[in-house]
Amino acid sequence: MTDTTSLSQLKQAALDRARAGDWNGAADTLHAVLAQSPNDLGSLLLLGDVSHSDGNIQAASDGYRAALALAARTPSLPAPVQAGLQRAQTRLVDYASDYAARLDGLIPPSERSARFNQSLDILLGRQPVYLQEPRRYYFPGLPQIQVYDTARFDWVPEMEARTPEIQAELRAVLAEDQASFRPYIERGTGHLAAQDHHLLDNHDWSAFYLWKDGRKVEENCARCPVTTAALDRVPLDFADGKCPSVLFSVLKPGAHIPPHNGMVNTRLICHLPLIVPGPAWLRVGSETHHWQEGKIVIFDDTIEHEAKNEADETRIVLLFDIWRPELSEQERTEIATLLGAIDAFSES
């Protein structure tokens, strides 16, 4: 008997046992088929169906998911197979719904902590896992936190309290000299140009810098003394030639900053919203934050994030970056030295 005939006989035996209601026998035979031919789509679907009929939801889920993954790479499937795939997809949705309902009965949603609730969304496939993916430098061992609780930062209340004064300085700059605002992504700077061409040299997202790439813009700071002084107690992540950047960040009506990741994971990005004329939001990983004037938001920009101004008028925040609080003073010094050296090497 040839291997091909043997495999054909096994498949027929599995089908016969399934028709006879011998779920265990059919499943055992299908495992033998898949040991020889792991990409047999029909056998994967049948294993899902057999396991479903036997009440083995986990095995059915495994079979159906494997079949759907294989089908995604297989063109021109016949109609009966497509019907089986649709059945598999429907049952997976039903399984997830039943599982979620059982979990809701175990711990009601209103009684869950935010992080536990997020873990359930990941478990149930409602959202993907978002992790730090810096485009330039990765420092190991830092927690994967999308948006930080501002209560952890003792400088936040004082900074928020100075919002009206900072707003006044911003409005004075806007009234005097809008030409000082430059596109946030400029040709040759390497910010997001590789990922987001439509904002390159585009004033839909523009900036008025107080610090740029670690260097103080003296003229602009002189025009905004209150804002400059307010940052004195903030742990800006100074590294020569690299950071911080402190700027009034402008997002025009309808402007969308598509999903992207930041350069280094040793910093956090802070927004102090100054002008929020309507709906405007920031998504970091699985969390969506709606800006509120005078309320700081602190997030890890190496986790995928995006932003959009859905209002009919311009949105402006004071944007600045700080050291991650988990880094020791020694680590901050080491990182600052390294980042400065990387830029020096790049220019040599």
Side-chain angles (χ1 to χ4, degrees):
M1 186 185 307
T2 66
D3 289 342
T4 301
T5 304
S6 177
L7 185 60
S8 176
Q9 288 180 337
L10 281 172
K11 292 169 70 172
Q12 185 60 51
L15 186 59
D16 290 342
R17 287 169 180 167
R19 288 170 174 164
D22 181 4
W23 311 127
N24 287 333
D28 289 343
T29 307
L30 286 167
H31 283 299
V33 171
L34 292 167
Q36 295 184 48
S37 180
N39 290 331
D40 188 312
L41 183 53
S43 293
L44 286 169
L45 282 172
L46 183 56
L47 179 60
D49 291 341
V50 165
S51 300
H52 174 85
S53 298
D54 196 30
N56 189 340
I57 301 305
Q58 185 58 63
S61 297
D62 291 344
Y64 287 146
R65 288 196 184 98
L68 289 165
L70 179 60
R73 308 191 301 270
T74 308
S76 303
L77 294 168
V81 174
Q82 292 182 21
L85 292 168
Q86 181 59 54
R87 181 172 64 252
Q89 186 64 62
T90 299
R91 285 178 175 170
L92 285 173
V93 171
D94 291 342
Y95 297 159
S97 178
D98 291 344
Y99 194 27
R102 290 168 61 188
L103 290 174
D104 286 345
L106 181 66
I107 305 176
S110 61
E111 298 176 13
R112 297 175 189 162
S113 65
R115 284 197 295 179
F116 180 74
N117 199 53
Q118 185 180 354
S119 76
L120 290 186
D121 285 341
I122 293 170
L123 175 67
L124 295 170
R126 293 170 177 164
Q127 70 177 55
V129 177
Y130 291 97
L131 300 174
Q132 297 164 5
E133 296 184 73
R135 293 186 290 122
R136 187 165 190 180
Y137 174 66
Y138 177 80
F139 190 92
L142 297 174
Q144 304 282 342
I145 300 173
Q146 299 176 151
V147 178
Y148 275 69
D149 182 354
T150 56
R152 295 182 56 177
F153 304 87
D154 59 5
W155 51 267
V156 165
E158 181 180 341
M159 191 77 181
E160 290 181 338
R162 305 194 77 167
T163 298
E165 298 169 273
I166 297 171
Q167 287 172 321
E169 288 189 336
L170 166 64
R171 289 193 171 97
V173 170
L174 290 169
E176 295 167 6
D177 182 19
Q178 293 202 23
S180 295
F181 286 79
R182 299 162 50 183
Y184 183 78
I185 308 170
E186 294 182 291
R187 195 171 303 277
T189 61
H191 275 182
L192 293 178
Q195 299 183 41
D196 181 21
H197 294 287
H198 88 273
L199 286 173
L200 182 62
D201 295 328
N202 188 334
H203 278 85
D204 281 358
W205 185 18
S206 60
F208 177 88
Y209 286 94
L210 303 180
W211 275 265
K212 181 172 173 57
D213 297 331
R215 294 184 174 88
K216 190 174 185 178
V217 184
E218 296 288 353
E219 179 184 352
N220 291 348
C221 285
R223 297 171 66 182
C224 303
V226 172
T227 305
T228 303
L231 291 160
D232 285 346
R233 289 191 61 242
V234 177
L236 300 176
D237 56 333
F238 285 101
D240 185 42
K242 181 60 183 174
C243 46
S245 288
V246 179
L247 56 137
F248 293 127
S249 176
V250 174
L251 205 58
K252 294 289 184 66
H256 176 221
I257 304 170
H260 63 282
N261 298 78
M263 302 290 281
V264 298
N265 70 327
T266 54
R267 69 180 185 182
L268 299 175
I269 302 299
C270 307
H271 288 176
L272 173 60
L274 300 173
I275 298 177
V276 185
W281 50 264
L282 165 74
R283 178 188 66 81
V284 185
S286 62
E287 299 180 54
T288 299
H289 176 88
H290 294 267
W291 288 292
Q292 301 176 58
E293 290 187 9
K295 296 295 183 182
I296 286 176
V297 56
I298 302 174
F299 65 98
D300 182 346
D301 76 326
T302 65
I303 294 173
E304 182 189 273
H305 61 289
E306 64 178 316
K308 187 172 185 180
N309 178 15
E310 295 181 339
D312 294 331
E313 299 177 50
T314 295
R315 179 239 63 176
I316 305 179
V317 304
L318 177 66
L319 185 157
F320 51 97
D321 39 291
I322 63 172
W323 287 113
R324 290 189 66 125
E326 302 88 2
L327 294 170
S328 69
E329 288 300 325
Q330 177 180 341
E331 289 170 332
R332 294 179 185 188
T333 300
E334 292 167 339
I335 293 163
T337 301
L338 173 65
L339 294 179
I342 289 173
D343 279 348
F345 293 151
S346 300
E347 294 169 1
S348 62

